[in-house]
Amino acid sequence: MGSRRFLPPVLLLLLLSVIASAAASQSLLRMISENQASGDSDGLYCDSWRLSEETNNAGYWGTIPARCLQFVAEYMNGDRYALDSDVVAAESLAFAQTVQVAGDGNDVWIFDVDETLLSNLPYYAVNGYGSEEFNETTFDEWLNLAKAPALPASLRLYEELLGLGFQIILLTGRVEAERNATEKNLSFAGYHSWTRLILREASDIGKTAVAYKSEKRAQLEAQGHRIHGNSGDQWSDLLGSPMATRSFKLPNPMYYIQ
Amino acid sequence: MGSRRFLPPVLLLLLLSVIASAAASQSLLRMISENQASGDSDGLYCDSWRLSEETNNAGYWGTIPARCLQFVAEYMNGDRYALDSDVVAAESLAFAQTVQVAGDGNDVWIFDVDETLLSNLPYYAVNGYGSEEFNETTFDEWLNLAKAPALPASLRLYEELLGLGFQIILLTGRVEAERNATEKNLSFAGYHSWTRLILREASDIGKTAVAYKSEKRAQLEAQGHRIHGNSGDQWSDLLGSPMATRSFKLPNPMYYIQ
């Protein structure tokens, strides 16, 4: 488990005194979000923060709030992350079962890869659960090990969708150079029989995830595919035009991709 | 702070054994969503259900899950609804403060009315917190009383946005016949100085909320307005083209409007 950082008491007192003096003149709303006294209120605040990032209210954020490190660690390792993921998968399947699959190979379900099919929790558990700036070097080392486990709920959903006759298309922000490691990891985790694995080509580098993924969905539709479902842990997997008939947001309180 | 519920060990073992025996033959995913053992597990399940409806994963739902009645009642009356609303308002304001307001009267913030500016909690508290089918007759009686209180976080945000120079446009699914009662109620709750209150006209009846509200946003943009923010408790307040620069989803686990 990564290092846990807490404010030393002296620094905390200093912070509180700054807050107290600023409170009279500053916005109450900003106070609530940024400067609320720490301690037992952290859990309540962090639960609200998690809802806000899951609903995309928080907008872009670089690292998790410092006071929420313990909360995020407990969430990711406890029953709640697993059950939240189970419920998303159950709702995805309930919708999938209402789709008339034509059998012409054009009924598509899109999955993102990281934190959707594969879990990088073993990496983030030793790298601060999103409390540290993203380190491309160490993450690439982890990626190339190709040992990320499946998210259990997603693997079960994936199998069910194959059984219903959907074509599975994987659409990831990973780059072409990572194709081999990605395919190896997906197989290691138990995935098989996908129709296509789409990664960023040279021409996609620098595009936002929303732009890149929307373009790819538009191309798929232009090729005659009907995109019924889209599963991703980032709003940038799901938003933008065209959207799938139904989009499913998997939980991820560790990082945000624009 | 709301009580945190954990599964007693015996129940957990029972649940695990049921899951294990059923996993081989049945869809585990359906089991989790529909047949999970009731009792203390309700809190954990209902928390996941609430996340799923707040993220729009649940899609359309008519009434809340029966097992979640107590959960929803406690959520709405406890600290969590208030704090979740505070955090949304704080994030809305943080974004609003980054907007360059031109002073030409075209910098707009859109608010929905019910469960966004006004709280109908006094009505739902005596009508099952979303566990009963919507009753238009009794709701209209409540609406015409014009006594719904403000959501405190929204009222504070509203005042801050006026102070920043935004034009406030109210866009509601209520109909023109309810204009007087709506204006009276907004004033009663402390709101003032809005630029326009847009209600459904005869030609809007029968449209989905997404279609109606998207059309109105398109008209506003065609008139030269820049829609920076949009606050609503329903995804149908926020989704559809065009969208605001930033959309803010307020919590509402009591009902879903398409």
Side-chain angles (χ1 to χ4, degrees):
Chain A
M1 180 175 286
S3 61
R4 298 198 175 176
R5 295 171 181 164
F6 298 101
L7 287 176
V10 173
L11 193 58
L12 185 62
L13 279 173
L14 185 65
L15 184 63
L16 286 172
S17 71
V18 169
I19 290 168
S21 62
S25 59
Q26 277 293 321
S27 154
L28 177 62
L29 299 172
R30 287 183 67 89
M31 262 184 54
I32 289 166
S33 70
E34 294 170 8
N35 306 328
Q36 196 177 32
S38 65
D40 285 350
S41 65
D42 281 356
L44 196 57
Y45 168 78
C46 295
D47 214 43
S48 289
W49 172 77
R50 188 175 66 90
L51 178 64
S52 81
E53 57 80 16
E54 289 300 324
T55 51
N56 210 22
N57 287 334
Y60 175 78
W61 47 278
T63 55
I64 65 173
R67 62 196 280 196
C68 297
L69 171 54
Q70 186 181 349
F71 174 91
V72 171
E74 288 176 1
Y75 172 80
M76 292 302 298
N77 291 300
D79 292 341
R80 293 182 72 189
Y81 177 54
L83 185 54
D84 285 350
S85 303
D86 286 344
V87 169
V88 182
E91 290 169 338
S92 307
L93 180 60
F95 163 68
Q97 288 169 330
T98 69
V99 174
Q100 291 274 17
V101 176
D104 62 356
N106 280 321
D107 291 297
V108 162
W109 197 285
I110 295 177
F111 280 100
D112 170 55
V113 172
D114 293 294
E115 267 55 68
T116 299
L117 294 184
L118 301 179
S119 171
N120 297 303
L121 186 54
Y123 171 83
Y124 284 100
V126 294
N127 287 279
Y129 293 100
S131 65
E132 300 169 11
E133 293 290 337
F134 181 69
N135 183 322
E136 194 166 339
T137 306
T138 59
F139 187 80
D140 284 354
E141 287 169 8
W142 157 255
L143 186 153
N144 283 310
L145 289 177
K147 295 288 186 193
L151 269 88
S154 294
L155 181 55
R156 291 194 298 269
L157 172 63
Y158 184 101
E159 294 283 355
E160 298 267 9
L161 293 175
L162 281 177
L164 289 170
F166 284 91
Q167 304 293 310
I168 308 272
I169 294 185
L170 312 183
L171 177 51
T172 172
R174 292 186 180 197
V175 296
E176 274 292 346
E178 295 161 338
R179 178 176 290 277
N180 286 349
T182 302
E183 290 177 347
K184 187 178 165 190
N185 198 152
L186 288 164
S187 298
F188 166 81
Y191 295 99
H192 59 91
S193 307
W194 57 84
T195 303
R196 287 179 62 186
L197 167 61
I198 303 174
L199 304 104
R200 277 182 197 259
E201 299 171 76
S203 59
D204 298 315
I205 311 292
K207 291 176 186 167
T208 64
V210 171
Y212 157 66
K213 295 195 169 186
S214 298
E215 282 174 24
K216 295 299 178 186
R217 287 195 301 277
Q219 289 169 14
L220 289 169
E221 287 197 353
Q223 291 159 9
H225 294 301
R226 296 175 291 274
I227 306 173
H228 297 288
N230 184 8
S231 302
D233 65 297
Q234 299 289 325
W235 283 100
S236 55
D237 296 330
L238 309 174
L239 293 176
S241 182
M243 286 176 68
T245 303
R246 285 280 298 275
S247 298
F248 296 93
K249 168 70 175 75
L250 279 77
N252 182 0
M254 299 189 299
Y255 59 86
Y256 186 92
I257 294 174
Q258 277 180 309
Chain B
M1 185 167 200
S3 60
R4 298 246 173 131
R5 293 169 181 166
F6 297 99
L7 287 176
V10 173
L11 192 59
L12 186 62
L13 279 172
L14 183 66
L15 183 64
L16 287 173
S17 69
V18 169
I19 290 170
S21 63
S25 58
Q26 272 294 319
S27 160
L28 181 61
L29 300 173
R30 287 184 67 88
M31 261 185 51
I32 288 165
S33 68
E34 295 171 8
N35 306 326
Q36 196 179 30
S38 63
D40 285 351
S41 66
D42 282 356
L44 197 56
Y45 169 78
C46 294
D47 214 42
S48 289
W49 171 77
R50 187 176 66 91
L51 179 64
S52 80
E53 57 80 18
E54 289 300 323
T55 51
N56 210 21
N57 287 335
Y60 175 78
W61 47 277
T63 54
I64 65 173
R67 63 197 279 198
C68 296
L69 171 54
Q70 187 183 347
F71 174 91
V72 171
E74 288 176 2
Y75 172 80
M76 292 302 298
N77 291 300
D79 292 340
R80 294 181 71 188
Y81 178 55
L83 186 53
D84 286 349
S85 303
D86 286 344
V87 169
V88 182
E91 290 168 339
S92 307
L93 180 60
F95 163 68
Q97 288 169 329
T98 69
V99 174
Q100 291 274 17
V101 176
D104 62 356
N106 280 322
D107 291 297
V108 162
W109 197 286
I110 295 177
F111 280 99
D112 170 53
V113 171
D114 293 295
E115 268 54 68
T116 299
L117 293 185
L118 300 179
S119 171
N120 297 302
L121 186 54
Y123 172 83
Y124 284 100
V126 293
N127 287 279
Y129 293 100
S131 65
E132 301 169 11
E133 294 290 337
F134 181 68
N135 183 322
E136 194 166 339
T137 306
T138 59
F139 187 79
D140 284 354
E141 287 169 8
W142 157 256
L143 185 154
N144 284 308
L145 290 176
K147 295 289 186 191
L151 270 88
S154 294
L155 182 54
R156 290 195 301 268
L157 173 63
Y158 185 100
E159 294 283 354
E160 297 266 10
L161 293 175
L162 281 177
L164 290 169
F166 284 91
Q167 304 294 309
I168 308 275
I169 294 185
L170 312 183
L171 177 52
T172 172
R174 293 185 178 196
V175 296
E176 273 292 345
E178 294 161 340
R179 178 177 289 277
N180 285 349
T182 302
E183 290 178 346
K184 186 177 164 191
N185 198 154
L186 287 164
S187 298
F188 165 80
Y191 296 99
H192 59 92
S193 307
W194 56 84
T195 303
R196 287 179 62 187
L197 166 61
I198 303 174
L199 304 104
R200 279 184 197 257
E201 298 171 76
S203 60
D204 298 315
I205 310 293
K207 291 177 187 168
T208 64
V210 171
Y212 157 65
K213 294 194 169 185
S214 298
E215 282 174 23
K216 294 299 178 186
R217 287 196 301 276
Q219 289 169 14
L220 289 169
E221 288 197 352
Q223 291 160 9
H225 293 301
R226 297 175 291 274
I227 307 174
H228 297 288
N230 185 7
S231 303
D233 65 297
Q234 300 289 323
W235 283 99
S236 55
D237 296 330
L238 309 174
L239 294 177
S241 183
M243 286 176 68
T245 304
R246 284 281 297 276
S247 298
F248 296 92
K249 168 70 174 76
L250 279 77
N252 182 0
M254 299 190 298
Y255 59 86
Y256 186 92
I257 295 174
Q258 279 180 306

